[in-house]
């Protein structure tokens, strides 16, 4: 699943705290191993947001060093980043406007790519 | 001899080498920034502790710029993306091609050249950058084409004495210069041929596919350029260019390096052609001129001379500023060669690396 991009550079911040979780815990964002070092080693984060885009907006505030791995500066999801709400790829739904149900599960999955 | 540091950017990470013994042997650290393509590396020797830079491009997680203040033991990046286009541009950073510390008279200033064509400037030593708006809003922008590697600003040549002057080179926009600190920019391509255009249009004002430009700090008005076919010299800081190709086996290639203490001496690594990006006669040869391009000689002692196919990319050749000069180049076959005698002879620093995209070296005081 991780493909060739499934490793991350050795950078400072391996053990940094990811900041307080969003109260309310309406949905869970699951991270692949490659992204976990940017989240303080955690495999999931609880985030508020009625849509995937709103969840990532919250991520940009609470864990900025992680958010810009997923979206570029114009807010577009990077080409080889796949985001699923449950078993639905948001590219097959409403993109960043895809609704996230309360208590839902959102998965970040790196596409198989590279050489 | 003081310690030397060698940065090797590869398609799958960066390697730092250090030499304490006259640059004959480099101890290489393990590959870092794993699975990031490192198209540009830089060494800022202005701080008391040199700062190393490595551009990093992850196919999954996007581009970034890392720095190290402990000679590569650890690499850092800020929480926010260090280089990002303003929202109003609608542009997204695709790759950082070049990181260039400014001269000593501009402390803390570091420039970055990126794709899509743009120049960024840092005033905090290369931690955060801002777009140089004057170049980005240039009216020629919409007619700049991407080169084979992308729409990249790959070369930054700050003036050694005057902070208001700077030159950049883009594929395929050509050479542009500013004399007012980046507010306005003018093309500097007169005499450089764009061979792919119709015969009566081959010397346009801009749009040439320049591959690398270099100068010597003691003689900044003289420039050398390796183009997509064509090697040129300018005596007026890019006002006009003349070919300096006599004696070269080919006019195609990517890197061009000027000797750090002999402004008449420069180095190339010719390739056959764009359709055959391999060394002529399949011999690994650096070409040196000691008279500013009047004559060229092949340098091959210690280099493979049979069946050699690997090219050297535009930022994969450098000097270390030492005297005599250390000259280094890395190949797409994953080798790094070095010379500690101005190029007269070469020895292998490393092999079996991922393909080498960039090298930089410095002798540390």
């Amino acid at each position: 699943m991780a493909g060739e991009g499934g490793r991350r550079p050795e950078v400072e911040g391996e053990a940094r705290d990811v900041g307080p979780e969003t109260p309310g815990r309406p949905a869970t964002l699951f991270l692949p191993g490659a992204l976990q070092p940017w989240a303080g080693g955690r495999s999931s984060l609880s985030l508020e947001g009625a849509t995937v885009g709103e969840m990532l907006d919250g991520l940009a505030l609470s864990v900025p060093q992680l958010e810009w791995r997923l979206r570029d500066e114009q807010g577009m999801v990077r080409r080889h980043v796949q985001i699923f709400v449950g078993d639905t790829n948001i590219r097959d739904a409403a993109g960043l406007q895809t609704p996230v149900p309360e208590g839902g599960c959102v998965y970040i999955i790196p596409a198989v790519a590279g050489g | 001899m003081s310690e030397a540091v060698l940065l090797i950017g590869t398609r799958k990470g960066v390697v730092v080498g250090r030499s304490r013994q006259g640059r004959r042997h480099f101890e290489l650290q393990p590959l870092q920034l794993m699975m990031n393509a490192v198209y540009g590396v830089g060494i800022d020797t202005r701080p008391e502790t040199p700062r190393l830079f490595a551009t990093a491009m992850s196919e999954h997680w996007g581009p970034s710029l890392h720095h190290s203040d402990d000679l590569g033991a650890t690499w850092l990046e800020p929480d926010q993306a260090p280089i990002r286009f303003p929202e109003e541009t609608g542009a997204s950073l695709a790759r950082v091609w070049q990181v260039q510390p400014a001269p000593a008279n501009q402390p803390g200033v570091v420039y970055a050249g990126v794709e899509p064509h743009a120049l960024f400037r840092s005033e905090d030593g290369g931690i955060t950058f801002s777009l140089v708006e004057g170049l980005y809003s240039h009216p020629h922008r919409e007619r700049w084409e991407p080169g084979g590697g992308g729409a990249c600003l790959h070369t930054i040549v700050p003036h050694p004495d005057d902070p208001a002057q700077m030159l950049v080179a883009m594929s395929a926009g050509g050479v542009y210069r500013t004399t007012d600190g980046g507010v306005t920019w003018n093309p500097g391509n007169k005499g450089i041929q764009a061979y792919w255009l119709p015969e009566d249009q081959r010397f346009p004002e801009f749009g040439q596919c320049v591959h690398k430009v270099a100068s010597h700090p003691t003689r900044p008005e003289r420039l050398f350029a390796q183009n997509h076919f064509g090697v040129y010299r300018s005596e007026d800081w890019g006002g006009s260019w003349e070919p300096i190709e006599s004696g070269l086996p080919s006019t195609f290639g990517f890197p061009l390096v000027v000797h750090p203490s002999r402004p008449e001496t420069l180095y190339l690594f010719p390739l056959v052609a764009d359709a055959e990006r391999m060394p002529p006669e399949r011999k690994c040869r650096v070409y040196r001129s000691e008279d500013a391009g009047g004559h060229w000689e092949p340098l091959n002692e210690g280099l493979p001379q049979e069946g050699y196919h690997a090219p050297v990319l535009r930022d994969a050749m450098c000097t270390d500023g030492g005297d005599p000069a250390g000259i280094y180049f890395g190949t797409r076959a994953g080798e790094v060669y070095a010379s500690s005698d101005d190029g007269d002879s070469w020895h292998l620093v490393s092999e079996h690396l991922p393909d080498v995209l960039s090298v930089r070296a410095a002798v540390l005081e």
Side-chain angles (χ1 to χ4, degrees), chain B residues 179-193:
Chain B
T179 57
D180 57 11
V183 178
T184 60
W185 295 80
N186 291 301
N189 303 289
K190 186 178 179 182
I192 296 180
Q193 184 171 200

Side-chain angles (χ1 to χ4, degrees), chain B residues 165-303:
Chain B
Q165 296 188 59
M166 185 170 25
L167 177 148
V168 298
M170 299 177 282
S171 295
V175 171
Y176 281 74
R177 303 164 295 161
T178 181
T179 57
D180 57 11
V183 178
T184 60
W185 295 80
N186 291 301
N189 303 289
K190 186 178 179 182
I192 296 180
Q193 184 171 200
Y195 82 97
W196 60 89
L197 295 177
E199 197 166 349
D200 61 345
Q201 301 172 32
R202 286 186 177 168
F203 292 92
E205 181 186 18
F206 63 93
Q208 283 84 345
C209 190
V210 57
H211 286 176
K212 189 50 76 177
V213 177
S215 68
H216 191 276
T218 64
R219 194 166 178 174
E221 75 284 359
R222 170 180 280 174
L223 298 167
F224 302 100
Q226 168 71 69
N227 266 59
H228 191 111
F229 290 118
V231 182
Y232 298 90
R233 182 181 67 221
S234 172
E235 299 289 357
D236 55 4
W237 200 57
S240 61
W241 299 83
E242 296 287 339
I244 49 168
E245 300 162 352
S246 179
L248 285 171
S250 164
T251 65
F252 189 85
F254 286 95
L256 187 157
V257 164
V258 179
H259 190 284
S261 56
R262 291 156 50 191
E264 312 289 322
T265 298
L266 62 157
Y267 303 84
L268 303 175
F269 192 92
L271 304 176
V272 175
D274 50 1
E276 188 177 337
R277 298 180 184 216
M278 301 175 189
E281 302 176 57
R282 303 297 183 262
K283 295 180 178 179
C284 182
R285 291 177 298 193
V286 173
Y287 275 73
R288 178 176 65 192
S289 172
E290 296 183 289
D291 57 1
H295 301 82
W296 294 92
E297 60 176 325
L299 307 174
N300 54 24
E301 186 178 331
L303 299 176

Side-chain angles (χ1 to χ4, degrees), chain B residues 51 53 55 64-67 78 80-86 93 96 98-101 108-114 119-132 156:
Chain B
R51 173 167 286 176
F53 293 100
T55 74
S64 187
L65 175 63
H66 299 254
H67 65 274
Q80 303 290 346
I83 300 173
R84 52 191 296 154
F85 281 92
L93 181 68
V96 184
Q98 182 90 157
V99 54
Q100 177 63 56
V109 175
V110 178
Y111 291 97
V114 310
L119 178 68
F120 282 78
R121 173 185 167 96
S122 169
E123 296 184 352
D124 60 4
I127 308 301
T128 62
F129 289 78
S130 299
L131 179 66
V132 176
I156 302 165

